[in-house]
Amino acid sequence: MRIILTIIISLFAFSGYAQQTTVTNVRYWTSPTNIRVVIDLTGEVSYQVKESAAPPEIIITIENTQSNKQELLVNNTTIRQISVSQEKAAPLTNENTSCIKIGLTKKTSFNMFQLKKYQDKPVRLVIDINIPDVKKALPVSKKEIERIKQRAKIVVIDAGHGGEDPGAIGPSGLQEKDVVLSIARKLADYFNQKQNVRAFLTRDGDYFIPLGERVKLCQQYEGDMFISIHANASYKESARGSSVYVLSTEGASNKAAQLLAHRENMADLIGGIARVDNDTVAGILMDLSQTYTINESIGLAKFTLDNIVSYCHTVFIGVERAGFAVLKSIDVPSVLVETAFISNSKEEKLLATDEFQELMAKAIYEATLKYLGISSSVVSLRSPSRYKYHVVKDGETLWSISAMYDKSAQEIKKFNADIPPSEVIFVGQTLIIP
Ligand SMILES: [Zn+2]
């Protein structure tokens, strides 16, 4: 009886506690166009937002929620500080109300939404505050882009994840978003040393960009090529190596590729967008030009993976295909590079080093130049479609294909590192014919 009573009391106490939501953390991320303030909560809440003019403030009142007093000094051009406080409990309901004040330097527009709990991310309130007087997201004007295009190819480099979305996390805590940004910056530096190539980054800081936005940035920069940089992860600690992915319109090339695409496509849910817009990313209708782009991408992917393996000495996993949202609706050659496994402690250590990041950037850089037909030293511009692609059909061998194109098997092997020493090729495999 006593036991039952204790259980009843503790259940009662627990349910009373569970009703009261708690503000557990407040943080912010800065992008070139907005500041994202994120409030972590232990459950979903009702809230009200008010704006005050003097001093300019955004005031968020969260009902039935407790919090510890907190003050976050920000002091940037948009936000002065963020303060969290708890109002006295209402006498009748005994409910606490939390109040979050975001002190602004100047009145500005903002967008607020609540995100449901997702994986290890708690319920979050997100306030995207637009930086006043910033209209364009691009660091260059349309005119400048046109001028650059006269003399150079434009490569758009996309560091995966960022901000609220850390990507995969290594056993000692290394975050994918940090490593890939570092590699992306090094890669951009390589390109920008050259006269006839200009690189732009989709993000140059620790903030989140929705997948659809990354695609849009590539289009706005009028990119001739799109390279998305990531680090792989697996539940198997022993998994290691490098792979390069191209978009597939007919499903993934294998189960692992499908799982990986699924994980990378979840970025919007982790990073947080107000509304997942299926029209911009997932529901794109594929047409023939996409097939052409995929073939072109396979060429770029093969060069890239060959170079990575020979420079970085990682294990060659292969050029794979899967439905990556970030590669969809990009009509220029585009690849997603899974540099190495951050979940493997050896590769995590490598990924953290400046030397490895530098080699990775150099490998991707040189592969891209080779693909574009630009030598590392000589300035020349040629169309990327200098190569033919052959999809292996039933009954064909490397020898029959080399005879068909009047090339030696050795020549073809040089451009297709995924042909094993046994020279066994499989139906559906795409080969670059030099
Ligand atoms: Zn990733």
Side-chain angles (χ1 to χ4, degrees), residues 18-237:
Q19 272 172 16
Q20 185 96 84
T21 312
T22 307
V23 174
T24 52
N25 191 18
V26 178
R27 63 187 165 276
Y28 68 95
W29 309 96
T30 309
S31 90
T33 52
N34 69 39
I35 315 257
R36 166 166 284 196
V37 177
V38 182
I39 303 163
D40 284 346
L41 296 154
T42 55
E44 287 178 41
V45 292
S46 316
Y47 61 89
Q48 274 117 36
V49 200
K50 273 192 310 196
E51 281 178 89
S52 94
E57 261 180 348
I58 299 170
I59 303 157
I60 302 149
T61 322
I62 312 173
E63 287 166 22
N64 198 13
T65 300
Q66 58 185 13
S67 55
N68 291 323
K69 201 171 164 58
Q70 262 194 69
E71 198 125 313
L72 222 78
L73 267 181
V74 180
N75 259 338
N76 64 23
T77 52
T78 310
I79 301 183
R80 287 178 287 113
Q81 92 271 13
I82 306 166
S83 68
V84 183
S85 62
Q86 186 173 297
E87 321 238 292
K88 262 216 175 94
L92 283 177
T93 57
N94 207 24
E95 279 180 6
N96 294 310
T97 302
S98 288
C99 181
I100 290 150
K101 285 185 183 164
I102 304 170
L104 306 170
T105 54
K106 197 174 168 185
K107 191 173 155 48
T108 182
S109 58
F110 65 94
N111 178 31
M112 182 169 178
F113 52 93
Q114 183 166 196
L115 291 170
K116 287 191 160 68
K117 184 175 160 52
Y118 182 74
Q119 290 180 350
D120 57 348
K121 288 278 180 189
V123 173
R124 288 168 289 170
L125 281 180
V126 176
I127 309 106
D128 283 333
I129 302 162
N130 295 316
I131 297 175
D133 312 318
V134 174
K135 279 172 200 80
K136 49 172 197 188
L138 301 193
V140 284
S141 68
K142 195 109 192 105
K143 255 204 180 124
E144 273 173 83
I145 291 173
E146 293 310 325
R147 253 203 309 274
I148 293 166
K149 278 194 88 74
Q150 306 271 315
R151 62 163 177 86
K153 292 276 183 194
I154 293 177
V155 180
V156 176
I157 303 165
D158 174 51
H161 314 277
E164 280 291 285
D165 172 20
I169 299 173
S172 76
L174 186 68
Q175 301 192 44
E176 180 184 354
K177 66 172 181 180
D178 297 328
V179 176
V180 297
L181 178 60
S182 182
I183 295 171
R185 281 176 172 155
K186 288 181 195 303
L187 180 56
D189 287 346
Y190 270 111
F191 282 123
N192 290 335
Q193 283 165 18
K194 287 200 74 68
Q195 275 283 313
N196 47 3
V197 191
R198 178 79 161 85
F200 291 108
L201 294 164
T202 54
R203 72 171 172 100
D204 194 7
D206 189 11
Y207 52 90
F208 180 72
I209 308 176
L211 296 172
E213 205 56 44
R214 294 169 197 256
V215 174
K216 227 185 264 166
L217 279 167
C218 180
Q219 287 158 349
Q220 286 170 339
Y221 279 123
E222 296 184 39
D224 294 297
M225 192 164 280
F226 181 83
I227 304 169
S228 190
I229 315 274
H230 289 257
N232 214 333
S234 169
Y235 292 110
K236 261 204 331 229
E237 220 276 321

